[in-house]
Amino acid sequence: MSGYKTSRRSFLRAGLAGGALVATGSAITLFPWLQAAAAPAPKRLLLFFTPHGTVWDQWRPGGGESDFTFSPILEPLAGHRERLVIVDGIEIKTGTEYYIPHTYTMPVLWTGSPIDTATKEFCREDHMQCFGWNTGVSVDQFIASKLTGTPTPFSTIELGLGCGGLHPATRMIYTGPGKPRSPIDNPEAAFSTLFGAVNPDLQQAERDAKRRKSVLDSVLDDFGSRRAKLSQNEKLRLDAHADSIRELELSLTAACAAPPAPVDVNSETSIDRQSDLLATALGCGLTRIASFQVRIADNDNTLYPWVGLDAGGHHTLSHDSGPAAQGKLAQLYRWYSQRFAYLLDKLAATPDVDGRSVLDNTLVIWGSELGQAWNHDIENVPFVFAGAKDLLRGGRYLKGSAIAHNRMLVSACHAMGLTDVETYGTLDTGTGPLPGLFL
Amino acid sequence: MALVAVLTSAGCIGEIGGGTPGVECETTASPGAPVPMRRLTAAQVERTVSDVLGVAKDLQVSDERLFTFRSNVSSSVDFVGARGYLDFAEAAVAATDRASCTENGDACKAWLFKDVGQRLFRRPLTDAERARYEALFGAGAMEGDPKEGARWVLEAMLQSPTFLYMDEVVEENGYLDDWSIASRLALTIWGSNPDAELLAKAEAGALSTPEQITQEAERMLDDPRSLGGLTDFVDQWLRLERLNDPDARPDLEALGPETLAALRKEPVQLVQMLMKQGADVDELLTTSTTAPLPELASIYADDVVGETAESIELDPDKRAGILSLPGVMAALSHADSTSPTLRGYAVLSNFLCNAPLPPPAGVSVTLPDIGEGKSTRERLEAHFSNPTCAACHKSMDGMGFAFEGIDWLGRSRDLEFGKPIDDTSSFQLDGKEVTVDGPVQLASVMANSEAVANCLARQWVSYAGGMPDKKEAACLVGQIAEEMQQPEGLRKMVLTFVGSDWYRRGPVQAP
C-alpha cells in the first residue's frame, strides 16, 4: 500500500508559458501554445557559473557608469549592452580560515552560508583539512520553495558541464544543509531528462508512463518498510532519496514539445547545446528557476585547445601570475563571455507568452568562486547581471568595493517577488539588495 | 609546446598521523569502524547487475570522492541520481534474458524471488517484499505477459533502497549479523554481490567468528571474481582513471581501446597474480614478472625476456614491481613528456602517505625557458634555483627522476633528445637522505621501508572500511603492515582486516 499518490495537477492553469505536456490519467498530452498574450509572463531566475574568477585588468571595463567601454574579456557581450549590469566590487566571505578558497567558496557562492567544518567527511591530506558539505540552502532552491501558483513540472533545473564526482568543490546548488543537488552535466542526458517523455508513439508513451508509475510506487513502498531501524541521519538520507523519486515521477509525465536532439556534441560545443536546451525549457514552462554550472571549482584541469590552452589545464594555469599564463587565461575568459553571450542570444530569441522574449522576463546572474585565481582572491569577485527588462537598470557598469555578496542573493529574491527578504544566508554581512541594480 | 609542471592535489586518506609504525597496541580488540550507511558505488552496482543478470550497462550516478577511494556515506540521492538509477534499471532490464518467463509464471517467479531477488538484496526477501513484488508482477503481466511482469519487478528491484544501500544489521553483541558480513565481504573482495555459497553460509550462521570469516575470505580471494574488488582498490589507489581523461592525456586514445584497456588493467592483474603466488609486499614493489597481456607487447618491446602461460618475465635491470608498470607510469605523465613531479608526488602520497603541500598561490608553475633540446630533468632542475619551488620539488621531483628511463607511454628509453638519460635520484625516506640509480634500486629501497608497508596497509583499510582510516585503527594498521611483510603477505592484508574486530563491528549509530 503506497502512501504516495502522484499529483495529477493540470499545468494548463495559471500563467504557464506554452507548449507544456502533462499527464492526464497516465497518457501524455501535448498542449498547444497558449495564445495568451494578455497573461503576464512568469518571472524567472537563471544562475550561471564559470570557474576560477577572471583576469582583472582584462575584465574591468573602462569609463563610467553609463558611458563604460567594454574590456577585452567582456566585449563579446556588447550586443546585449542595454540588458546588462556589470558589477565590480562584490566580496565573498567564506566564514572560515581554511586554506583552499575554491573548495570553500563554491558552496558559499549561492548559499551565503559557510561549509560545515565540524563534520570531517572530506579530507585533503595535502592541506591537512577535513570538512563537510555546505550548511545552507542555495538561493534558487529557497526561491523555488516560496513560489506560489501552479507548480511547474520541474521545481528547478540544473544543467552543467563536466561536473565530476560528488564533492563540496563540485556542487553549488543545495536544497538543504548537507544536501547538494547535482547538475545534469551533458547534453544527451539533459535532453532525455527534460524532453524524453515525448514519444511520437503515444501508445508506447502511455505504456511507459503506466509501468514507471507502478514500478516507482513499489520502490517508494520499499523505502517505507525500511524506516524503522535506522538512525536519524540515515532516515534523513533515505527520505531525501524518496523525495527525489517523487520528483522524478512528476518529471516523467510532463514535458515540452521536444526541440531537436542535440547533434555534433563535443567538448567545445556542448556548452552551447546545454544553453539551447535551457532556453527551450524555460520558454515552454518546464521550470522558472535554473542554473548552469560550467565545470568545477577545484582542480579543474580542463584543456581548451581551441583558445590555445592545450597543456596543463585551467586550474594549473590559473595559479600562475606570469604574463604569459594570464594572457592565455584571458583568452579563455573571453571565450566564456562568448558562450554567455550565446546563452543570452538564445534566451532573447525564445518567445514568451507575453509576446516579448524569455530573456526579458528572466534575471540572469553570472558569477564565479574566485575573483582572481592566482592568489585565490575573493575580496573582489566579478559578476554580470542580465535580462529582466522591467527590473534591471541595464546598460551600466557599477563600481564599488567590499559589497557583501549576500546582497546579490537578496537581489535575486527581490527579482522573483520575495521583496520582504532583507538578508540571505547565515554569513550575512549585508542588508538589502545590491544598491543601484534595479529600476 | 610548453612543459608545464602540474599542481596536483590528492584526496586524503584519513586523519593526519594515523597508523604510524610502532604504535603500542593497548588492546587487541579495536573499536568498531564508524561507517555510516553506505550506498553502493556505481562500479559495485554495475558489477552486481553484470553478475546476476548477465548484462553490462553504465550507471550514470556520481560517487562521493571522500579521499583516495570512492564511498557514498554522506550524500543523499538527488533528482539526477534518481533519474540515473531509473535509466540504468530500464536499460539493464531491457537487455536481460527473461526466457524462463513463459505463460506459466511459476518458474519465472522462482527465478525472480529466489535467485535474482536474494542475490540483489544480499539476503532472502521478506514476506512483505515478496507479496509486493507478486502484485507488481501480476500488474505487469496483465499489461502484457509474464516477461512484462518480470520487467516491472526487476526494474523495481534495481531501484530499491534494499539493493542500493548496505542494509547492515547489528546484533546485541555489537557485531554485524551474518548476512551483513556476507554483504561486506562480497563488496570488499569482489566489488559485487554475494554468491549462492556465501549466502548459504550466512543462512547457516557460519560467518560468526573471525576464523569462519577469514576461511570464507580465502575462498573468495581464490575466485576469479576477486578481480572486481582488486580493481576498485588498485585502480583508485593508483588513480589510473587519468589514463582515460582526455583533459589529462588527450594523446592516449590514439593507442586504440585494447592497448589502453590493457595499460589500465595490468596493475590490477599483477596484484591478483602475486596474491595467487603467495607474494608479500616486497614482491609487489620489486618483482620483474607481470601478468600476460599481449596488447602491451609493443610497449614493453625488448624488456620482455621470457614468457610462460601464467606470466611474463621482464628485464630485471629495467623493471621492478607495480611502480614501473607502463600504465602506472603513463598515468603519471603528460602527453609527449614524462612528469617526474607527478611521479614523485604519487610515490610520496600513495606509497608513503605523506603528500606534499600544494604550491603557494601566485607561484608561476610554468617552467623557466632554458632553450631547446634540454632534457626533462634539466628543465625541472632549473626551477630548483627558486627556493620557493625547491622546498617541495626537490623531494618530489628528486624521487620522480628515478623513473626517467620510462617514457610517457611506459616504454623504456635510454636517450632523450639524443642524450643519455640520467635517472639517479635523491630523496628523504624514513628520515634519511637516500640516493638511488633508477627504478629498480628505488623499488628495493622502498621494499625495505616500514613506512611503505604501513602506508599500503592504511590504503587497504581505507578502501575496505569505506572511510578514511582513523587514528583508532593505527594499531590494526601496524599489525596488517607487519603481516604484509611475511609470506603470503598480500593475502594476509585482506584476511587480517576482514577478520578483525574493526571490520566485523556494526556501524556506530549516531543519533
Side-chain angles (χ1 to χ4, degrees):
Chain A
M1 161 71 217
S2 165
Y4 175 73
K5 296 225 179 346
T6 307
S7 159
R8 296 286 175 207
R9 296 184 189 93
S10 163
F11 297 110
L12 188 48
R13 298 188 306 267
L16 176 70
L21 279 165
V22 294
T24 49
S26 67
I28 293 170
T29 343
L30 175 56
F31 284 169
W33 266 90
L34 299 180
Q35 298 303 325
K43 294 268 167 284
R44 304 189 195 81
L45 176 69
L46 170 54
L47 308 178
F48 185 72
F49 168 90
T50 57
H52 306 346
T54 194
V55 176
W56 274 104
D57 60 357
Q58 301 285 306
W59 183 92
R60 185 166 279 129
E65 183 175 327
S66 301
D67 64 354
F68 71 91
T69 52
F70 278 99
S71 58
I73 287 177
L74 293 177
E75 184 274 329
L77 294 167
H80 291 284
R81 181 181 182 111
E82 292 314 309
R83 296 192 179 100
L84 298 180
V85 180
I86 298 163
V87 183
D88 180 346
I90 293 179
E91 175 181 18
I92 298 184
K93 286 198 164 42
T94 61
T96 169
E97 292 307 300
Y98 272 19
Y99 172 77
I100 336 167
H102 298 289
T103 307
Y104 307 129
T105 323
M106 184 171 193
V108 172
L109 176 60
W110 308 116
T111 63
S113 302
I115 61 158
D116 177 356
T117 50
T119 310
K120 307 288 189 193
E121 264 145 4
F122 296 88
C123 288
R124 292 275 307 251
E125 193 166 71
D126 55 350
H127 292 284
M128 300 192 188
Q129 287 164 345
C130 297
F131 44 90
W133 297 103
N134 194 271
T135 55
V137 180
S138 55
V139 72
D140 58 317
Q141 300 297 311
F142 168 75
I143 292 167
S145 72
K146 297 285 182 202
L147 286 182
T148 52
T150 309
T152 49
F154 292 78
S155 67
T156 60
I157 289 174
E158 294 72 32
L159 295 192
L161 210 62
C163 298
L166 275 166
H167 189 277
T170 67
R171 295 291 181 268
M172 65 181 197
I173 301 300
Y174 279 81
T175 52
K179 285 168 69 181
R181 193 173 159 91
S182 304
I184 312 172
D185 71 351
N186 69 80
E188 291 87 351
F191 181 77
S192 97
T193 300
L194 299 177
F195 305 105
V198 179
N199 187 333
D201 179 348
L202 278 180
Q203 279 187 315
Q204 185 57 48
E206 193 160 342
R207 280 197 297 272
D208 282 342
K210 194 167 183 178
R211 186 187 78 255
R212 285 168 163 176
K213 175 160 175 31
S214 302
V215 165
L216 291 176
D217 282 350
S218 167
V219 172
L220 285 167
D221 269 351
D222 249 351
F223 278 90
S225 64
R226 286 181 46 111
R227 291 184 49 96
K229 56 187 175 191
L230 296 169
S231 72
Q232 189 54 30
N233 192 37
E234 290 171 349
K235 276 190 186 131
L236 289 173
R237 280 174 69 204
L238 282 180
D239 283 349
H241 185 164
D243 286 345
S244 298
I245 291 177
R246 293 185 186 107
E247 202 186 333
L248 176 67
E249 282 195 314
L250 282 180
S251 80
L252 289 171
T253 52
C256 292
V263 289
D264 295 331
V265 177
N266 59 43
S267 52
E268 186 178 359
T269 61
S270 49
I271 186 168
D272 288 355
R273 297 296 74 79
Q274 293 288 63
S275 294
D276 295 343
L277 296 172
L278 211 42
T280 307
L282 286 168
C284 73
L286 281 186
T287 192
R288 292 174 54 188
I289 296 176
S291 60
F292 188 174
Q293 177 189 325
V294 177
R295 301 287 171 175
I296 56 175
D298 203 355
N299 283 319
D300 174 38
N301 275 321
T302 310
L303 299 175
Y304 300 83
W306 53 90
V307 295
L309 210 168
D310 57 4
H314 184 188
H315 180 247
T316 303
L317 204 65
S318 75
H319 271 255
D320 190 336
S321 56
Q326 293 296 307
K328 252 188 193 180
L329 285 174
Q331 287 302 313
L332 172 60
Y333 296 137
R334 181 181 162 89
W335 185 77
Y336 284 159
S337 267
Q338 289 166 338
R339 308 291 42 98
F340 186 61
Y342 178 89
L343 173 63
L344 299 183
D345 289 343
K346 290 302 285 191
L347 294 168
T350 306
D352 210 335
V353 287
D354 59 357
R356 302 194 306 178
S357 78
V358 168
L359 181 59
D360 288 334
N361 300 312
T362 305
L363 177 65
V364 189
I365 309 177
W366 177 15
S368 185
E369 95 286 4
L370 291 178
Q372 179 163 266
W374 67 260
N375 61 352
H376 282 166
D377 175 56
I378 50 175
E379 288 174 9
N380 192 1
V381 177
F383 281 89
V384 176
F385 297 77
K389 196 174 186 171
D390 306 328
L391 185 73
L392 204 63
R393 206 139 61 85
R396 291 179 317 127
Y397 164 46
L398 299 180
K399 203 167 172 177
S401 71
I403 308 163
H405 101 283
N406 310 65
R407 299 183 67 180
M408 174 270 296
L409 303 172
V410 172
S411 294
C413 294
H414 284 217
M416 294 302 289
L418 305 176
T419 48
D420 55 346
V421 173
E422 280 303 300
T423 63
Y424 192 85
T426 55
L427 277 171
D428 194 26
T429 49
T431 301
L434 287 177
L437 189 63
F438 295 150
L439 291 164
Chain B
M1 196 183 78
L3 179 69
V4 181
V6 163
L7 296 175
T8 52
S9 57
C12 168
I13 43 164
E15 295 179 23
I16 317 309
T20 40
V23 167
E24 285 298 312
C25 292
E26 286 173 19
T27 163
T28 51
S30 319
V35 181
M37 175 179 66
R38 272 186 274 177
R39 181 166 46 86
L40 268 57
T41 63
Q44 290 166 343
V45 169
E46 287 168 3
R47 229 178 261 119
T48 300
V49 167
S50 167
D51 287 340
V52 175
L53 300 176
V55 292
K57 293 284 171 195
D58 283 341
L59 171 63
Q60 301 290 338
V61 176
S62 296
D63 291 322
E64 288 167 38
R65 307 301 303 268
L66 285 182
F67 48 118
T68 308
F69 302 99
R70 292 160 190 246
S71 180
N72 300 310
V73 296
S74 75
S75 63
S76 310
V77 171
D78 57 16
F79 170 77
V80 168
R83 176 76 205 205
Y85 286 127
L86 174 96
D87 289 341
F88 174 79
E90 292 187 349
V93 175
T96 298
D97 177 7
R98 283 162 278 152
S100 66
C101 298
T102 55
E103 280 317 309
N104 171 357
D106 292 349
C108 178
K109 282 192 222 172
W111 171 65
L112 286 173
F113 304 145
K114 289 226 172 62
D115 177 23
V116 172
Q118 176 161 267
R119 285 158 74 201
L120 287 178
F121 287 8
R122 303 177 291 272
R123 57 159 176 74
L125 269 59
T126 63
D127 291 347
E129 283 165 345
R130 193 174 163 136
R132 181 161 357 103
Y133 289 128
E134 283 265 14
L136 191 62
F137 178 84
M142 290 266 294
E143 288 297 311
D145 54 16
K147 282 192 178 56
E148 185 69 7
R151 177 183 180 183
W152 289 33
V153 169
L154 289 171
E155 283 184 4
M157 283 178 174
L158 291 183
Q159 294 175 79
S160 160
T162 312
F163 168 50
L164 296 176
Y165 294 84
M166 297 282 277
D167 192 11
E168 297 185 321
V169 179
V170 185
E171 294 184 317
E172 292 286 298
N173 60 12
Y175 291 100
L176 293 172
D177 74 354
D178 289 40
W179 296 108
S180 306
I181 290 282
S183 296
R184 266 197 193 185
L185 286 173
L187 287 174
T188 299
I189 300 175
W190 289 342
S192 185
N193 61 302
D195 64 352
E197 193 173 334
L198 185 50
L199 289 170
K201 289 212 169 80
E203 192 165 22
L207 297 172
S208 300
T209 66
E211 295 72 29
Q212 288 174 323
I213 292 171
T214 45
Q215 194 183 355
E216 182 60 10
E218 291 257 21
R219 173 185 80 87
M220 294 172 71
L221 274 179
D222 293 334
D223 186 293
R225 290 176 79 190
S226 63
L227 193 65
L230 287 178
T231 297
D232 285 349
F233 172 55
V234 174
D235 195 85
Q236 293 173 47
W237 167 44
L238 300 174
R239 296 181 173 82
L240 297 177
E241 65 188 12
R242 204 177 131 87
L243 292 169
N244 293 91
D245 177 356
D247 284 323
R249 293 302 302 274
D251 59 317
L252 288 182
E253 219 178 330
L255 294 174
E258 291 83 10
T259 305
L260 194 48
L263 279 176
R264 191 159 173 181
K265 213 161 48 178
E266 189 189 20
V268 184
Q269 296 206 327
L270 173 66
V271 172
Q272 191 182 38
M273 185 181 95
L274 292 174
M275 274 192 175
K276 269 200 198 117
Q277 296 170 355
D280 62 6
V281 68
D282 293 1
E283 282 173 86
L284 176 71
L285 293 158
T286 59
T287 181
S288 55
T289 58
T290 185
L293 284 158
E295 300 88 344
L296 298 180
S298 65
I299 285 184
Y300 275 124
D302 299 342
D303 293 358
V304 176
V305 295
E307 220 169 320
T308 68
E310 286 78 44
S311 68
I312 286 179
E313 199 57 42
L314 301 168
D315 183 342
D317 294 334
K318 290 191 170 168
R319 302 277 178 173
I322 193 157
L323 267 168
S324 67
L325 295 177
V328 177
M329 286 287 104
L332 301 169
S333 300
H334 303 303
D336 308 325
S337 69
T338 59
S339 174
T341 307
L342 279 180
R343 291 169 176 187
Y345 182 92
V347 175
L348 290 169
S349 157
N350 304 342
F351 287 78
L352 289 161
C353 294
N354 188 14
L357 286 172
V363 168
S364 172
V365 293
T366 311
L367 291 168
D369 185 4
I370 56 171
E372 289 298 301
K374 294 284 196 267
S375 71
T376 305
R377 180 177 188 129
E378 286 167 323
R379 296 165 80 185
L380 278 171
E381 280 174 340
H383 79 154
F384 290 175
S385 57
N386 175 337
T388 317
C389 303
C392 298
H393 276 272
K394 267 198 152 156
S395 65
M396 258 191 298
D397 308 354
M399 197 169 242
F401 288 148
F403 301 105
E404 274 301 87
I406 303 172
D407 78 2
W408 55 93
L409 298 180
R411 300 172 298 198
S412 285
R413 61 176 185 179
D414 301 322
L415 303 170
E416 189 184 16
F417 300 115
K419 283 183 271 185
I421 291 281
D422 173 4
D423 58 3
T424 53
S425 106
S426 303
F427 49 87
Q428 290 277 322
L429 185 71
D430 296 336
K432 294 190 289 287
E433 182 77 12
V434 180
T435 301
V436 298
D437 191 353
V440 177
Q441 277 188 21
L442 175 71
S444 73
V445 170
M446 289 191 42
N448 290 310
S449 160
E450 280 300 310
V452 172
N454 212 72
C455 177
L456 266 50
R458 281 184 68 187
Q459 303 277 12
W460 173 256
V461 167
S462 294
Y463 158 76
M467 283 286 275
D469 67 326
K470 300 275 184 250
K471 278 206 272 290
E472 295 82 11
C475 168
L476 177 61
V477 165
Q479 188 189 336
I480 293 171
E482 250 170 69
E483 302 225 0
M484 285 170 75
Q485 297 169 73
Q486 293 159 15
E488 305 251 317
L490 293 177
R491 286 174 71 90
K492 283 180 178 156
M493 170 183 84
V494 177
L495 300 173
T496 305
F497 186 54
V498 301
S500 71
D501 248 41
W502 189 264
Y503 190 81
R504 292 161 49 232
R505 289 246 179 209
V508 172
Q509 295 281 344

